[in-house]
Amino acid sequence: MASCHDVHEDAAVYHKTNKILLMGNPNVGKSVFFSQLTGLQVMSSNYAGTTVTYTEGTMELGGRRYTLIDVPGTYSLDAVSEAEAVAVRFMESSPLAVVCVLDSTNLERNIKLGLELQRFNVPIIYALNLVDVAQRHGVQIDAVQLAQELGAPVVPTVAVKGEGFDRLRQELEKVVSQPGFKPNFPAQIGDQWQLAKQIAARVRNSVSGELSFFDRLGSAVLQPWPGIPIALAVTLASLGVIVQGGKTLEGILLILVENALVPFFATLFSSFIPEGVLLNVLIGEYGIFVISFEWIVALILPYVFMFYVVFSFLEDSGFLPRLSVLFDGIMRKLGVQGGSVITIMMGYGCAVPAIIGSRTATTRKERLIISTVVCFGVPCISQTGALISLFASFSPILLVLMLLLSLVVMAAVALILSRLLKGDVDPMVIEIPNLLMPNGKAYLKKLMLRMRNFALDAEGPMLIAIVIAAVVKETGLLNFVAGYLEPLVSSWLGLPREAVMALILGVVRREMAVAPLLAIEGLTALQAFVGGTVAFLYLPCLSVFGILAKEFNAKVAVAIGLSTAVSAFIVAGVINQVAQLVM
Amino acid sequence: MAGRRMRHRHRNRHSQKLGGNSCCLYYAQDGRQYVVASAPEVGILKSLGIVENAVIQKKLTYRMGGPVLLKVDSSEIAIGKDFAEKIEVRG
């Protein structure tokens, strides 16, 4: 996930004199190298596109500090794509050395990039990664001969297990400790592709290897049978783990909140604040210190945490690109391509990283379709958690209906936009990474970073929403506004007056359009579903508006905002009216 | 969409006209090795080694407009139908 905190390009980085670059093809485990070498918190992923922006960290070698830069993964340096242009710019900015990560299981293409890098005349250390996977596939690579062919050190590594890093550091130190060290690469004659293939053939030996369970599973998932049933089973299991895990955590946290946190603050504040509006705003029914704990800590956090536990695992394991392949046919019929499955799934966590992640789309039309689909039809995990809590007291059928509604909305939005918008959507081209057991260290770091970003990104707007809620409710403003919205809320949607609070708060955060419904007593199943539908389709949250305006423009943000709000009232109203007629 | 389909039909006819032993990758038989006769000038295809004269193995065609699964050198690559129809291969 590209967090919204590190999406910027600082030109000063090109002028730094102590740079070491980390380069390589996408999906070679570069980000794991980065987190191993710097010990800094970074994201590492197994699918193309996560490192569209570079990451920078500090690395120590022989007592000196260097800046290690994780350059976006590229297949070549032709500068045809944005990522390649950035890579070329970095190579031309006089780095001290380059660590070029080579994937042992895709030697030809990786050597080709390795050869291309040599034209910049910068010292290179080659890290021959995934040697364990290659061995299981019956391939052994002669690192000594490869070093001769490339005219530079080659260090075999297994990054996910931390193997080979000591030698890599030694080789790097040798180079950077000699100022003005110039590499001595062999002359390249002829086409680089042919040369890469010849070198690969010379250094590769066949050995007997035995495929691991993951290797066999990786191939099996790619076949429609048993791939599609496995994909569906994994998706359902993920959902089950998120919902059950979330519920369990919610139960534990709720006891803590209701029996310890809320009573503590109630006693504290009532000891020195007289009864009245101020005390109610703090610890009343909608008091800041009541709902901020009940909603954020007990209701939202468990599901956000469980979502990232599951999603980060799927992401690092290399499972998601396989889903893209299996569902490309369906996505193509909807006017997009299979790769967008990953972005959409990311949206089930939060729309903000999904919209940033849609940068991997090759055309503006595709980006716009995916972003709109996420805003309309994909509830974020915070909202899903709130919806699960809302429907829990009725029937799981409501949740299934909501899921179906979500799929229908997604398909409809994609179909309409692909016809309406000008331009093209490029067909899918995706390289399938090895299916791997994620590296524990990198996985935990990623999980921590995601939770930290969630706290930083969501906490502010959530608190704003909670303060608004407390003030609006406890000062009687709610009844005043409710009077105006009465026809819409009561007659058309069939919801009680208090539901107005959901509409007010839903502007700030998506789950806040659900949370107030939880506090209403005597809600019917139909009212819960209609309220849930309004919340699900209603405005994306403030952070999403911000990112839409930034990534596209204000016009797109306003258009998506207006159309979601209008469709929320139309769809939910129609559901209510039809159900009233039938029942 | 209708226009898109028309273009494809036209392209298919064109590929059949090439005749001989050249045909488009999408309709080529699964589980066989081919040599690329021509491929669209697209950066990502070039980078992944799908260029003229490259040897590729077609592993699978996904039904209902799905992609094709290839093995190029030692990596597995999936290519959407609309590109796979534009890649000409020799048997």
Side-chain angles (χ1 to χ4, degrees):
Chain A
M1 173 179 83
S3 129
C4 36
H5 301 291
D6 47 39
V7 180
H8 65 282
E9 193 173 324
D10 179 11
V13 74
Y14 294 110
H15 303 299
K16 285 196 176 173
T17 50
N18 64 342
K19 287 189 305 284
I20 298 173
L21 305 182
L22 187 58
M23 309 209 39
N25 277 200
N27 296 326
V28 292
K30 227 157 42 64
S31 308
V32 181
F33 273 80
F34 187 79
S35 78
Q36 293 274 14
L37 288 172
T38 59
L40 190 106
Q41 295 177 337
V42 279
M43 310 296 286
S44 79
S45 272
N46 216 332
Y47 63 82
T50 9
T51 40
V52 177
T53 48
Y54 71 87
T55 323
E56 189 183 334
T58 309
M59 174 182 182
E60 271 193 39
L61 282 174
R64 285 196 187 185
R65 289 164 81 89
Y66 298 91
T67 304
L68 185 69
I69 293 165
D70 187 1
V71 181
T74 56
Y75 292 112
S76 70
L77 292 176
D78 300 333
V80 289
S81 72
E82 219 180 356
E84 287 174 18
V86 172
V88 170
R89 231 180 127 186
F90 270 116
M91 284 305 289
E92 285 171 344
S93 70
S94 348
L96 291 175
V98 173
V99 175
C100 173
V101 183
L102 306 174
D103 175 354
S104 307
T105 64
N106 289 313
L107 209 51
E108 292 84 353
R109 207 187 48 231
N110 282 267
I111 291 180
K112 188 195 161 249
L113 179 71
L115 290 172
E116 274 186 72
L117 287 174
Q118 297 189 345
R119 75 161 195 253
F120 296 92
N121 216 26
V122 174
I124 304 175
I125 315 291
Y126 293 95
L128 188 60
N129 197 30
L130 296 166
V131 281
D132 56 334
V133 181
Q135 189 124 22
R136 291 204 300 267
H137 281 97
V139 175
Q140 196 185 44
I141 292 144
D142 186 340
V144 177
Q145 195 183 344
L146 183 58
Q148 282 169 6
E149 300 272 358
L150 292 170
V154 173
V155 182
T157 58
V158 181
V160 289
K161 292 182 187 150
E163 288 170 18
F165 283 94
D166 290 341
R167 221 198 111 196
L168 185 65
R169 282 172 169 277
Q170 284 165 13
E171 293 290 350
L172 252 182
E173 201 186 327
K174 267 189 228 165
V175 169
V176 293
S177 61
Q178 299 174 45
F181 177 90
K182 282 287 163 218
N184 188 18
F185 299 127
Q188 294 176 20
I189 302 152
D191 180 51
Q192 268 173 338
W193 260 119
Q194 292 309 322
L195 192 57
K197 283 183 187 184
Q198 288 159 8
I199 294 176
R202 283 198 291 266
V203 299
R204 189 162 34 206
N205 302 310
S206 291
V207 289
S208 61
E210 198 179 327
L211 294 181
S212 71
F213 169 72
F214 266 82
D215 299 331
R216 283 196 300 267
L217 187 66
S219 306
V221 178
L222 273 177
Q223 309 288 330
W225 172 262
I228 290 176
I230 292 177
L232 291 177
V234 169
T235 312
L236 281 178
S238 305
L239 214 73
V241 170
I242 295 170
V243 172
Q244 276 309 323
K247 267 187 183 170
T248 313
L249 281 178
E250 184 188 331
I252 298 168
L253 288 171
L254 211 57
I255 295 172
L256 184 76
V257 167
E258 283 175 351
N259 297 324
L261 285 174
V262 173
F264 170 75
F265 283 102
T267 324
L268 181 75
F269 287 121
S270 47
S271 70
F272 64 93
I273 299 171
E275 269 185 41
V277 175
L278 181 61
L279 190 65
N280 283 343
V281 165
L282 289 173
I283 53 161
E285 188 196 347
Y286 269 80
I288 294 168
F289 284 85
V290 175
I291 51 178
S292 65
F293 289 127
E294 278 183 5
W295 290 357
I296 302 184
V297 178
L299 226 64
I300 312 300
L301 210 62
Y303 294 98
V304 174
F305 176 71
M306 287 310 297
F307 177 83
Y308 285 127
V309 164
V310 172
F311 186 78
S312 307
F313 183 86
L314 292 180
E315 199 177 42
D316 278 8
S317 67
F319 179 74
L320 298 177
R322 288 172 167 79
L323 276 189
S324 299
V325 174
L326 290 173
F327 292 103
D328 179 59
I330 296 171
M331 298 310 279
R332 183 177 163 269
K333 288 195 174 66
L334 296 177
V336 281
Q337 49 95 17
S340 46
V341 169
I342 298 173
T343 320
I344 290 172
M345 283 191 73
M346 214 184 238
Y348 279 98
C350 171
V352 172
I355 292 165
I356 296 172
S358 72
R359 283 181 183 173
T360 50
T362 47
T363 64
R364 186 185 151 86
K365 177 175 175 174
E366 190 188 345
R367 264 204 89 178
L368 208 50
I369 296 177
I370 300 171
S371 300
T372 315
V373 164
V374 169
C375 290
F376 262 88
V378 182
C380 68
I381 188 64
S382 311
Q383 195 184 35
T384 310
L387 284 171
I388 291 170
S389 305
L390 177 66
F391 295 152
S393 45
F394 301 99
S395 154
I397 296 172
L398 291 185
L399 204 61
V400 175
L401 284 176
M402 188 56 73
L403 191 73
L404 289 178
L405 182 71
S406 152
L407 293 177
V408 170
V409 170
M410 275 198 267
V413 170
L415 276 175
I416 292 169
L417 283 185
S418 62
R419 280 165 172 70
L420 224 59
L421 294 174
K422 288 196 188 91
D424 283 314
V425 171
D426 288 334
M428 177 179 76
V429 179
I430 201 166
E431 193 210 350
I432 296 142
N434 297 303
L435 200 69
L436 291 173
M437 191 68 188
N439 166 252
K441 198 169 158 193
Y443 170 78
L444 285 178
K445 273 183 185 169
K446 178 187 228 168
L447 192 62
M448 257 169 58
L449 190 70
R450 282 190 158 153
M451 289 312 289
R452 200 187 69 189
N453 284 351
F454 171 76
L456 291 175
D457 290 342
E459 207 66 31
M462 274 180 170
L463 284 174
I464 295 171
I466 284 163
V467 172
I468 294 175
V471 172
V472 164
K473 171 79 180 183
E474 304 298 341
T475 57
L477 203 64
L478 182 67
N479 281 329
F480 179 73
V481 180
Y484 282 96
L485 292 175
E486 183 94 49
L488 181 70
V489 174
S490 301
S491 312
W492 174 243
L493 296 172
L495 295 174
R497 267 171 82 100
E498 296 96 309
V500 169
M501 178 69 98
L503 298 182
I504 298 173
L505 298 187
V507 178
V508 186
R509 293 267 313 162
R510 286 183 100 165
E511 74 278 5
M512 293 298 168
V514 184
L517 300 175
L518 288 163
I520 301 174
E521 287 188 17
L523 214 60
T524 65
L526 176 64
Q527 283 175 326
F529 190 75
V530 170
T533 306
V534 175
F536 155 64
L537 287 170
Y538 198 54
L539 299 172
C541 69
L542 279 184
S543 326
V544 173
F545 278 119
I547 202 73
L548 283 173
K550 196 172 140 207
E551 297 284 308
F552 298 97
N553 52 46
K555 218 173 90 185
V556 169
V558 171
I560 291 179
L562 279 179
S563 48
T564 48
V566 170
S567 61
F569 292 121
I570 294 175
V571 174
V574 168
I575 291 175
N576 175 48
Q577 299 295 332
V578 171
Q580 297 279 9
L581 277 179
V582 177
M583 277 151 78
Chain B
M1 204 68 180
R4 212 166 152 191
R5 265 190 216 126
M6 292 266 287
R7 281 207 312 274
H8 290 163
R9 222 172 281 152
H10 174 76
R11 216 179 289 134
N12 294 348
R13 231 182 291 138
H14 173 73
S15 62
Q16 277 152 21
K17 253 193 256 168
L18 280 169
N21 49 7
S22 170
C23 80
C24 95
L25 176 64
Y26 191 77
Y27 297 100
Q29 215 183 328
D30 289 355
R32 287 184 54 184
Q33 216 170 47
Y34 300 95
V35 175
V36 176
S38 74
E41 287 282 310
V42 180
I44 180 86
L45 289 178
K46 274 196 207 167
S47 307
L48 289 170
I50 301 168
V51 289
E52 222 180 297
N53 293 326
V55 179
I56 57 175
Q57 195 199 345
K58 186 179 180 193
K59 295 181 85 173
L60 196 64
T61 314
Y62 292 83
R63 274 184 226 167
M64 295 168 65
V68 296
L69 184 66
L70 308 176
K71 186 139 189 160
V72 183
D73 296 324
S74 36
S75 56
E76 279 185 314
I77 295 162
I79 294 181
K81 184 181 179 192
D82 301 290
F83 269 155
E85 285 182 333
K86 289 187 199 167
I87 298 171
E88 301 287 331
V89 292
R90 285 191 298 268

